Amino acid sequence: MKTVAIIAKPHAENVVNLLEEIVKLLDESNIEVLYDKRAASILNLSNHSSEEDIREGSDLVIVLGGDGTLISAVRIVGDKEVPIMGINMGRLGFLTEIRAGEAVNMLKNVIKGDYCAENRMKLHCDLFENKQSKFATDVLNDIVINKGALARMIDVELFIDDHFVNSLRADGVIFSTPTGSTAYNLAAGGPIIYPTLNSIIITPICPHSLTHRPIVVSRRSKIVVVMKNSNEQIYLTCDGQIGQKLKNNDIKLNITQSSHNVKLITPKNRSYYSLLREKLGWGIK
């Protein structure tokens, strides 16, 4: 391990002290450090590395922040399946599993090559308007189609592997990875899926009919969504951070498994079930 990139949330509590400890350890280990703009600002550094430098030059990416910060790091890394070590400086933290108090000791083990990493699948979406490709991206958590604040329910037709599934009237629909099953999908009543399983969860948001329920399909499924509301405000949101306003045209969305994974470093001494108990408060009376 020669080069480590650091991506950090500037206003996280106690982030300065922890970042300084991490940098000291990396320096003592003769490892070059690349700082994104946010991490550089925390240490009052005048220079920072570009996203391209981080993507092409990192052997490890350390994220200090919450799940949103980690998702932004996944976008920076792109198709480079470099290990990502997420340190939870936020509140919920399903993705940033490593506690701040254990981060330095765990990093020592990572530097020695003694760590566990999980491959998490991503989804790929292609947006077409009038049969022309307008937007494409990969996501770690979810792809969401929803209506504007004052718009009526949206109408979509859902196809899986060229088979018609149903016509859905709802406030929206979520297409989630297992990793993203504890995000918007969970809030909308979707199931929790073990994060290393390879599947796609489809969850309606406030459907007009109670018979429209979440379903889980194979990762190999090719999903096509056809929009029917030509005069309503409809939005496409990817991982809650980037989005598109869908115009009043012939709109179609293709969703498949991405050809690239995300490699997340996880604590050896904790299971996913203990994470669920901790974050969701299971067993608290």
Side-chain angles (χ1 to χ4, degrees):
M1 188 175 294
K2 297 180 180 179
T3 306
V4 171
I6 299 179
I7 297 171
K9 181 179 180 180
H11 305 297
E13 186 177 356
N14 298 322
V15 69
V16 176
N17 292 337
L18 180 55
L19 182 54
E20 288 176 343
E21 285 187 71
I22 288 172
V23 170
K24 180 182 178 182
L25 173 59
L26 294 173
D27 183 60
E28 291 173 348
S29 303
N30 296 315
I31 295 174
E32 181 184 1
V33 182
L34 305 178
Y35 302 93
D36 84 321
K37 186 176 182 179
R38 292 167 290 181
S41 69
I42 294 171
L43 298 177
N44 295 316
L45 301 176
S46 56
N47 296 319
H48 65 273
S49 299
S50 67
E51 292 187 359
E52 182 179 1
D53 288 340
I54 291 174
R55 180 168 52 253
E56 299 299 330
S58 303
D59 300 310
L60 169 72
V61 175
I62 299 174
V63 176
L64 292 86
D67 287 355
T69 311
L70 190 141
I71 287 173
S72 70
V74 169
R75 285 210 318 275
I76 291 172
V77 171
D79 60 2
K80 302 293 184 180
E81 297 182 15
V82 56
I84 298 176
M85 179 178 172
I87 302 169
N88 185 13
M89 309 296 293
R91 290 172 292 180
L92 199 56
F94 277 102
L95 297 177
T96 48
E97 292 188 40
I98 300 164
R99 301 181 184 120
E102 64 187 2
V104 173
N105 286 333
M106 187 164 178
L107 179 56
K108 291 178 181 178
N109 291 330
V110 172
I111 291 171
K112 293 186 292 185
D114 181 20
Y115 65 91
C116 292
E118 294 180 346
N119 284 321
R120 305 288 184 88
M121 67 171 281
K122 294 194 288 184
L123 293 177
H124 178 78
C125 74
D126 283 296
L127 174 66
F128 293 86
E129 292 182 358
N130 292 325
K131 298 180 175 58
Q132 299 293 319
S133 179
K134 295 295 183 180
F135 173 77
T137 192
D138 283 1
V139 301
L140 174 60
N141 268 0
D142 50 39
I143 299 159
V144 180
I145 302 167
N146 55 15
K147 69 182 184 68
L150 300 178
R152 293 176 294 180
M153 285 187 292
I154 64 173
D155 288 288
V156 301
E157 289 185 348
L158 179 64
F159 298 82
I160 299 177
D161 297 329
D162 298 323
H163 297 289
F164 174 69
V165 178
N166 65 0
S167 295
L168 175 67
R169 298 193 71 228
D171 283 356
V173 59
I174 304 165
F175 302 90
S176 171
T177 65
T179 296
S181 69
T182 49
Y184 196 0
N185 167 75
L186 182 61
I192 296 174
I193 306 294
Y194 199 86
T196 55
L197 293 178
N198 291 317
S199 56
I200 304 172
I201 309 115
I202 305 172
T203 303
I205 304 170
C206 300
H208 180 66
S209 172
L210 293 178
T211 61
H212 292 306
R213 311 307 300 166
I215 60 173
V216 180
V217 299
S218 166
R219 65 181 174 88
R220 297 184 178 89
S221 299
K222 296 180 180 179
I223 300 170
V224 176
V225 185
V226 178
M227 312 291 172
K228 306 300 290 184
N229 301 59
S230 60
N231 296 315
E232 296 297 330
Q233 287 185 335
I234 304 175
Y235 296 89
L236 172 68
T237 308
C238 299
D239 271 346
Q241 296 188 352
I242 56 176
Q244 295 278 316
K245 181 178 179 180
L246 305 184
K247 299 179 180 179
N248 298 329
N249 294 336
D250 176 20
I251 302 169
K252 185 173 75 171
L253 184 68
N254 292 349
I255 298 172
T256 56
Q257 180 186 15
S258 170
S259 57
H260 305 287
N261 292 324
V262 175
K263 185 175 289 187
L264 293 184
I265 293 176
T266 58
K268 280 186 172 182
N269 59 343
R270 286 197 304 277
S271 72
Y272 183 65
Y273 306 108
S274 65
L275 177 70
L276 292 177
R277 288 197 302 273
E278 176 186 347
K279 302 302 181 181
L280 300 179
W282 287 353
I284 295 177
K285 298 180 180 179

